[in-house]
Amino acid sequence: MDDLINQPQTESLAASNQPAGRPTAGRKVYVETYGCQMNEADTEIVLSLMNREGYQPTNSIETADVVFLNTCSVRDNAEQRIHGRLNHIAFHKKKKPEMVVGVLGCMAERLRRKLIHEGSIVDVVVGPDEYRALPELVNEAQFGTKGLAVKLSRVETYDDVTPLRTEGISAWLSVMRGCDKFCTFCVVPFTRGRERSRSMESIVQEVEGLAKHGFRELTLLGQNVNSYRWEGRDFADLLAAVADVDPLMRIRYTTSHPQDMSDKLIETMASRKNICNYIHLPVQSGSNRVLQLMNRTYTIEHYLERIASIHALIPNVSMSTDIIAGFPTETDDDHRQTIELIKQVRYDGAYMFKYSPRENTKAWAMGDSVPEEVKSARLAEIIDVQRTIAEENNQRHVGTIEEVLVDGESKKDASEWKGRTDTNKVVIFRHGDEQVGEYVNVKIHRGTAATLFGSIVDAEGRPKEFPIELAVVG
Ligand code: SAH
Ligand code: SF4
Ligand code: F3S
């Protein structure tokens, strides 16, 4: 099988830049993206690299000449979903055998050659640091040569590639790649490689371009975004520089590691109005014993001290987290400590997962000792406690006026807008004559665990549209 696999060298890539009128012009590429925001941002890089070679993005798989799945490996069910999708795509490929199918992202990096086994519909397998090789590999695949490119890089940041973003007001921007933390449960250091940062100058330049194009919200991305380092400058310096580009552009970031949540970063957040008062700070477990087994490198005491500093400097801050239920050897007492922590911090949101053993991680060697039904029961309790807290937290907004960035029509009802507060809460309110990308004041009438509902008011807090019966009186 080896001779079927084409492994391009980076040096040969220049030769793949074909002149105008190239055979790929007008060909269509369709991408499905799974996993985290880093993958969303990478898809825009992939589309940009393909577009340079003449490919146009399409939303319909039927019209596509090239189909990519940008995949996630973080939990087993993420990978199972991709296998399911590949079976479905096989049906399209049967009708159109010349269609090139590629698996990109973390699963490509993890499973590599296994994805190109004989009889597989997959033509190219390309890991997160090899996207520059894609156009060439797709070309080769059209002539029947399967392609594999999964080398990880210590330097690749796609610094010079302007992502092909879809129109909108919110943009992702990767500022660093990889992860050096090696939490024992996690595949990311193996699928994304070592930590490396993009140059601060090129990031600021890209943000200036985004501001000119009318983007109103920007999320700086990295698996450990707050360990960003560039020529002696840290993530707080970057955040300040980015926020200073345009005071009307809201700046968010994700994901931060508790160990790197410095005072300087918290002070920087507090010092600029357009840096959103929202922090996603994954804790994973409320038990120090489990945190140590996870190699999270902090204690609960450190974590709570960081939260206290955040609240002291950013009074209306909103916090969210990630939690894993059923890590190997987790006891009822460890689990109870996680529940206690959730109650103490009172997060506005949380991503909650059952532990999923991943081959070759350190935790894999610890076995999967918590029985499935215990994991499920613990997760259900975590979700239940968290939902109640989020709902209670949201009641505090009822009667307040929030500044909301309008980001589109509500999915359920086209006569309603959907927007977000600076604390990242979704707000639904009735349409007026405002536009997407505008800031409006919304008075909140009610809240569920996930959503706030309200109506637009003017700067003094008066309703913009009077109810009919009031309007006709007098
Ligand atoms: N870099 C981020 C998040 C990475 S992955 C951080 O350090 O917080 C997103 C989340 O998936 C993790 O925070 C963790 O809660 C979860 N996760 C990662 N590996 C997992 C596994 N093997 N089983 C279950 N959940 C996992
Ligand atoms: Fe995974 Fe830990 Fe790195 Fe997050 S910090 S990506 S959980 S290894
Ligand atoms: Fe998944 Fe890779 Fe992101 S494993 S969570 S897509 S970094």
Side-chain angles (χ1 to χ4, degrees), residues 74-75 185-186 188 223-224 255-257 282 284 296 322-324 353-358:
V74 80
R75 283 167 293 276
F185 52 79
C186 185
V188 172
Q223 279 298 353
N224 262 305
T255 297
S256 31
H257 192 285
Q284 316 296 359
R296 284 296 287 182
D322 291 350
I323 291 176
I324 297 177
F353 312 103
K354 255 190 264 184
Y355 171 68
S356 169
R358 310 308 288 135

Side-chain angles (χ1 to χ4, degrees), residues 31 33 36-49 70 104-106 127-129 131 134 157-158 161 163-164 172 174 176-177 192 221:
V31 192
T33 310
C36 61
Q37 296 99 324
M38 269 60 77
N39 258 14
E40 301 273 351
D42 278 2
T43 289
E44 296 175 342
I45 286 173
V46 165
L47 286 174
S48 172
L49 290 164
N70 193 1
L104 320 181
C106 292
D129 286 347
Y131 293 145
L134 266 174
T157 59
Y158 302 106
V161 182
L164 197 72
W172 308 116
S174 284
M176 56 87 67
R177 299 179 72 85
R192 295 255 162 186
L221 296 176

